[in-house]
Amino acid sequence: MTSSRERDRLLRIISLCVAIERKGGNPFEVEVKEALETLRRYLPHWKALEDFALDAETLNRISSIVGLQGNWIKHRSSTLFVDPLLIELKIKMLDPDKLVEIFRRTWHPVVEMDRLSAKRIAEAVDYWNHLSPLEDRLMKLPEATGALDLASLEDLVKARLISEESFTALLRSFWLELKAQAGDGERIPYWDFIYAPSYEDTVVRAYLTSFLVTYGFAAMEVDPLEEATFLRPRPEPREVSFTEQTISFPISIDYERWKAQAEGR
Amino acid sequence: MADDVSAYVRRVKRAAKILFYRRHRQPGVKGWELRRALGKEYLTVIDLLNQQLANVGLEVSTVFEGAERPDTPTSEQLDRARFYVTVKEPLTAADLVLSGWRVDDVAALVVTVSYIISKQGKAARRDIEQLLREKFPKWRVERSLNRYIRQGYLSEVDDVLYLDWRARAEIDQKSLIRLVIGGEATPASEPSEPSAASP
């Protein structure tokens, strides 16, 4: 039976390897041979999947350390290796003029050029000549014509901008109409419900129907095979949460479609 | 024979245009771009160009991926390497002044680069800031490091600074380290300051 002491031992090996990888310490602080021997000794004790995973993770970290040890030796044997502490001390002792002199002797700046070709200049001139002035490009609102006056409530109702009754009451009465037409627990084809003798009224009914569905008064059912859409009124309006993800379902209120519906009646 | 010579001349001129004119975010071109533009003998063309550039104190430098330059680069390593035109000889003190570098910016750059080299190519930003703040104010240290990152001398990942493409292309790192610790770099032909009178 694996003990927590053995797991702790592996976790300590992993944390040491991770610390050296991240902070760039001396990778030879990890006794790779001893760590591998530990893994070999513990391997027969593992029974649970988590223990095998821990074993694999430890082996992975040790192999990274071996790679770092190789890089360490390569760097130390290269001509670029100098004791970091010595460099730090030397840097602190050098005055700016000496540092500038060192830079001057070791700096070989990259030479580069930018160009503007004759073709690109011609394209730019052509673009400039065809570009409209800024004030022409900015969209202007049409200026108001006629005198300003106040509109009465009757004017707004006649213009069908507002209704006499509140919108909620309007929606509720529309919902009751849907329930009456569909019947108890039944559904009604979408176009049968929104149809009105005039196209404009049909559009208004479609507009109100969209609110019925959005605010939970009715459900919309789509049969993709028949390409038919139905409305099923809910017995009671369902509370809609606007924090849940919703989808939009566009429906075209096509004039030809309305006309076909009218001719079919 | 004359056709071969003229073909090489054309390719050398093309190589010069490709190498000099900047087309990417950073100058220089990749080896595979040179191979595509100049053919598989592009290294010969580059050698010929180098001979011409030497007359004006320039040369084509190659920067390979990875910290160390391979002794015998493979074709794949050459494809991924980047070729730049650089100044061959060290600048004079007057040229350095004309380049627009402030003395404190140069000093901070030398300190930063040599510190990163001593730490095997990466160092925590806060360690470098701590080192520089012994002699410079905090705002100047931050401004300088950000400037080196913008220019391509350094790159920063998770608050760790590395040497970036410009440091590897422009700075002779071995000579830099030798000069910092007090030794002499491998002598390069030092240009002499222009003298007022000549015999």
Side-chain angles (χ1 to χ4, degrees):
Chain A
M1 191 169 173
T2 55
S3 68
S4 60
R5 188 175 58 86
E6 289 166 342
R7 280 191 222 102
D8 287 344
R9 174 90 179 99
L10 293 198
L11 287 170
R12 278 201 301 276
I13 294 173
I14 290 172
S15 65
L16 175 61
C17 295
V18 167
I20 288 171
E21 275 180 69
R22 288 208 182 134
K23 292 178 186 169
N26 182 359
F28 286 95
E29 284 178 12
V30 177
E31 293 287 343
V32 170
K33 198 173 171 184
E34 186 185 318
L36 290 173
E37 181 57 36
T38 303
L39 284 180
R40 191 194 64 77
R41 208 167 53 243
Y42 291 170
L43 184 60
H45 300 170
W46 303 140
K47 297 285 184 283
L49 184 62
E50 292 79 12
D51 296 329
F52 284 108
L54 186 65
D55 180 271
E57 172 69 17
T58 310
L59 190 61
N60 182 36
R61 291 292 175 189
I62 293 171
S63 63
S64 299
I65 291 296
V66 171
L68 285 177
Q69 288 177 348
N71 291 340
W72 180 271
I73 293 170
K74 266 191 224 168
H75 178 74
R76 292 240 163 182
S77 61
S78 76
T79 50
L80 274 180
F81 171 71
V82 183
D83 186 2
L85 198 55
L86 175 63
I87 290 285
E88 200 171 327
L89 288 170
K90 285 285 185 179
I91 285 169
K92 288 178 182 177
M93 284 165 46
L94 291 170
D95 58 36
D97 287 337
K98 182 65 181 166
L99 289 169
V100 169
E101 176 62 17
I102 291 171
F103 185 70
R104 183 190 72 76
R105 293 174 67 178
T106 58
W107 188 46
H108 304 273
V110 169
V111 177
E112 55 174 322
M113 297 183 199
D114 270 326
R115 72 181 186 282
L116 199 58
S117 64
K119 183 170 179 265
R120 199 65 172 153
I121 291 175
E123 287 173 3
V125 169
D126 189 52
Y127 169 77
W128 175 261
N129 288 336
H130 285 91
L131 191 64
S132 308
L134 191 63
E135 57 185 23
D136 291 347
R137 298 205 313 264
L138 288 174
M139 283 183 61
K140 284 185 181 174
L141 289 173
E143 289 191 9
T145 55
L148 289 177
D149 201 356
L150 293 174
S152 67
L153 192 61
E154 271 181 11
D155 295 331
L156 292 176
V157 170
K158 278 181 192 167
R160 304 181 85 167
L161 289 173
I162 64 168
S163 171
E164 283 186 7
E165 53 192 82
S166 69
F167 186 76
T168 311
L170 177 65
L171 208 59
R172 194 165 276 273
S173 69
F174 201 60
W175 170 55
L176 291 171
E177 184 188 336
L178 174 62
K179 282 171 79 173
Q181 285 195 29
D184 277 339
E186 296 296 321
R187 64 184 192 180
I188 180 173
Y190 175 81
W191 270 96
D192 286 354
F193 178 66
I194 69 166
Y195 174 79
S198 74
Y199 178 66
E200 290 76 13
D201 287 338
T202 303
V203 171
V204 170
R205 288 179 68 82
Y207 177 70
L208 289 171
T209 304
S210 71
F211 282 95
L212 283 183
V213 175
T214 303
Y215 285 100
F217 288 89
M220 181 174 278
E221 296 173 5
V222 179
D223 186 346
L225 291 175
E226 300 292 328
E227 292 186 0
T229 308
F230 299 90
L231 292 169
R232 188 185 295 275
R234 295 189 197 279
E236 289 300 324
R238 192 184 73 165
E239 199 166 316
V240 174
S241 166
F242 288 100
T243 56
E244 289 175 5
Q245 194 173 357
T246 56
I247 56 170
S248 296
F249 189 78
I251 300 178
S252 171
I253 310 301
D254 185 36
Y255 178 78
E256 295 300 326
R257 176 75 168 85
W258 168 82
K259 200 171 162 189
Q261 187 89 0
E263 285 166 2
R265 285 181 176 255
Chain B
M1 182 70 171
D3 291 341
D4 289 342
V5 170
S6 66
Y8 270 106
V9 166
R10 275 199 310 274
R11 284 154 76 185
V12 167
K13 285 181 183 175
R14 180 152 173 72
K17 282 183 200 167
I18 292 170
L19 284 164
F20 273 109
Y21 288 112
R22 186 177 184 142
R23 57 171 49 74
H24 302 303
R25 196 171 58 88
Q26 54 174 275
V29 282
K30 289 272 198 177
W32 66 266
E33 292 179 287
L34 285 174
R35 183 166 47 77
R36 190 176 64 177
L38 306 173
K40 56 186 179 181
E41 293 176 347
Y42 71 100
L43 292 174
T44 307
V45 175
I46 296 298
D47 283 341
L48 291 170
L49 176 63
N50 251 337
Q51 290 172 22
Q52 301 300 316
L53 291 177
N55 296 329
V56 290
L58 303 176
E59 66 176 352
V60 177
S61 300
T62 312
V63 176
F64 292 88
E65 286 183 351
E68 291 290 326
R69 182 193 176 93
D71 293 326
T72 47
T74 62
S75 58
E76 198 181 328
Q77 285 172 323
L78 282 165
D79 274 355
R80 291 206 298 264
R82 208 166 183 92
F83 292 71
Y84 304 90
V85 175
T86 58
V87 174
K88 186 174 181 180
E89 295 154 2
L91 300 181
T92 62
D95 290 339
L96 193 59
V97 169
L98 285 176
S99 71
W101 279 89
R102 290 167 54 98
V103 63
D104 46 5
D105 285 332
V106 171
L109 180 63
V110 170
V111 166
T112 304
V113 170
S114 35
Y115 186 80
I116 292 176
I117 293 172
S118 73
K119 294 287 188 183
Q120 297 186 60
K122 63 178 180 182
R125 179 169 176 146
R126 65 172 182 277
D127 293 343
I128 296 174
E129 284 177 350
Q130 192 178 347
L131 181 62
L132 293 172
R133 282 181 61 189
E134 286 190 18
K135 297 195 178 178
F136 297 126
K138 181 181 176 187
W139 66 268
R140 172 154 281 164
V141 167
E142 286 178 1
R143 191 196 69 171
S144 296
L145 289 178
N146 292 338
R147 181 185 165 190
Y148 305 148
I149 292 169
R150 271 199 317 276
Q151 289 176 322
Y153 287 102
L154 306 176
S155 63
E156 183 177 7
V157 178
D158 295 335
D159 295 326
V160 175
L161 294 178
Y162 302 82
L163 293 184
D164 207 358
W165 66 272
R166 198 181 280 275
R168 290 189 283 131
E170 293 186 349
I171 299 176
D172 182 350
Q173 296 179 29
K174 291 180 189 172
S175 300
L176 181 85
I177 290 296
R178 286 203 189 100
L179 287 169
V180 165
I181 61 175
E184 277 299 313
T186 308
S189 54
E190 284 274 353
S192 55
E193 295 285 351
S195 55
S198 54

